[in-house]
């Protein structure tokens, strides 16, 4: 019986999400948690197997400031895109996200004296992705990161700190390797 109720709730969540966010296209097997905290602009595509998960509590702690995911106009995520949000994730306009991208705005506490790290309160932060960003396959974006306008995050990168605008960043942790020179209209290596 639980399986049927769960599937009905999931279908209702997706229908309500699409009604609230008119024009959003969602792929197969999308999972939403607390979709009332998610807002999307126009012409948004969220691919198959994606998960948008908002946590308004953790354990016994109920958050006074509620989580928020904002996705701007002309956003496109191909497949298996995951956002885990306990505070705030803001994605600008014209952002392109490749497959298997994971964005999270929180971390478990670091107190090793608890029985399990699950017993630590969440350390909540934020993630900001500016307009025109392109995030490659298999990228992980960790809490308290700001990715600047028109930057590119290379496939397989782990973003642990801010990336300036008009940059290409790659690696684990992601480091800027090129910056776009607007006057010369070309990418230049960063030494």
């Amino acid at each position: 019986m639980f399986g049927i109720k769960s599937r009905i709730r999931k279908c209702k969540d997706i229908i309500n999400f699409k009604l609230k966010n008119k024009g959003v296209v969602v792929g197969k097997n999308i999972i939403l948690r607390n979709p009332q905290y998610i807002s999307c602009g126009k012409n948004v595509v969220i691919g198959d197997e994606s998960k948008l998960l908002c946590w308004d509590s953790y354990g016994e702690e109920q958050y006074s400031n509620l989580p928020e995911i904002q996705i701007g106009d002309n956003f496109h995520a191909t497949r298996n895109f995951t956002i885990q949000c306990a505070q705030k994730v803001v994605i600008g306009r014209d952002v392109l996200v490749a497959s298997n991208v994971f964005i999270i705005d929180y971390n478990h506490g670091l107190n090793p004296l608890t029985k399990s790290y699950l017993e630590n309160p969440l350390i909540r932060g934020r993630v900001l992705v500016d307009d025109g960003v392109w995030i490659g396959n298999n990228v992980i974006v960790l809490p308290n990161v700001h990715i600047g306008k028109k930057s590119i995050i290379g496939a397989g990168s782990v973003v642990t700190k801010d990336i300036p605008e008009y940059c290409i960043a790659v690696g684990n942790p992601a480091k800027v390797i090129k910056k776009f020179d607007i006057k010369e209209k070309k990418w230049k290596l960063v030494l």
Side-chain angles (χ1 to χ4, degrees):
M1 192 65 139
F2 175 75
I4 293 172
K5 285 183 181 180
S6 177
R7 282 185 287 212
I8 290 170
R9 191 188 83 242
K10 180 180 170 184
C11 288
K12 282 175 64 177
D13 283 349
I14 291 170
I15 289 167
N16 289 334
F17 175 72
K18 289 172 85 174
L19 287 172
K20 176 184 165 195
N21 298 285
K22 298 207 183 302
V24 171
V25 176
V26 297
K28 297 175 188 168
N29 301 319
I30 187 169
I31 296 173
L32 303 170
R33 178 178 174 89
N34 290 320
Q36 68 270 26
Y37 305 132
I38 305 167
S39 62
C40 297
K42 297 175 184 156
N43 193 31
V44 169
V45 176
I46 301 169
D48 295 350
E49 310 294 334
S50 293
K51 301 166 200 70
L52 304 178
L53 310 171
C54 291
W55 307 97
D56 55 7
S57 63
Y58 181 73
E60 307 217 355
E61 181 183 6
Q62 185 75 31
Y63 301 133
S64 56
N65 54 339
L66 298 173
E68 183 179 5
I69 296 174
Q70 295 175 10
I71 298 174
D73 296 343
N74 305 314
F75 170 85
H76 188 101
T78 53
R79 67 178 321 278
N80 198 27
F81 172 55
T82 300
I83 297 177
Q84 290 201 102
C85 175
Q87 179 103 6
K88 190 168 197 169
V89 175
V90 178
I91 298 174
R93 296 183 310 273
D94 304 306
V95 171
L96 174 61
V97 175
S99 297
N100 307 312
V101 169
F102 181 81
I103 297 174
I104 189 166
D105 74 350
Y106 65 88
N107 203 336
H108 289 281
L110 302 175
N111 182 356
L113 301 178
T114 58
K115 179 180 164 191
S116 164
Y117 286 105
L118 289 172
E119 294 176 2
N120 285 280
L122 294 182
I123 300 169
R124 302 184 311 143
R126 52 94 183 123
V127 173
L128 304 172
V129 178
D130 286 347
D131 295 347
V133 168
W134 174 17
I135 300 176
N137 284 334
N138 303 306
V139 167
I140 298 171
V141 179
L142 296 177
N144 297 313
V145 165
H146 180 188
I147 301 174
K149 180 179 179 180
K150 286 291 193 165
S151 284
I152 300 169
I153 309 300
S157 297
V158 179
V159 183
T160 61
K161 63 182 181 183
D162 293 351
I163 303 297
E165 62 182 26
Y166 294 94
C167 287
I168 297 175
V170 299
N172 180 4
K175 292 183 180 154
V176 174
I177 61 164
K178 291 185 180 181
K179 182 153 180 63
F180 192 76
D181 186 314
I182 294 177
K183 288 180 185 172
E184 294 186 31
K185 297 182 180 172
K186 66 179 186 178
W187 290 99
K188 290 188 173 181
L189 284 174
V190 174
L191 302 174

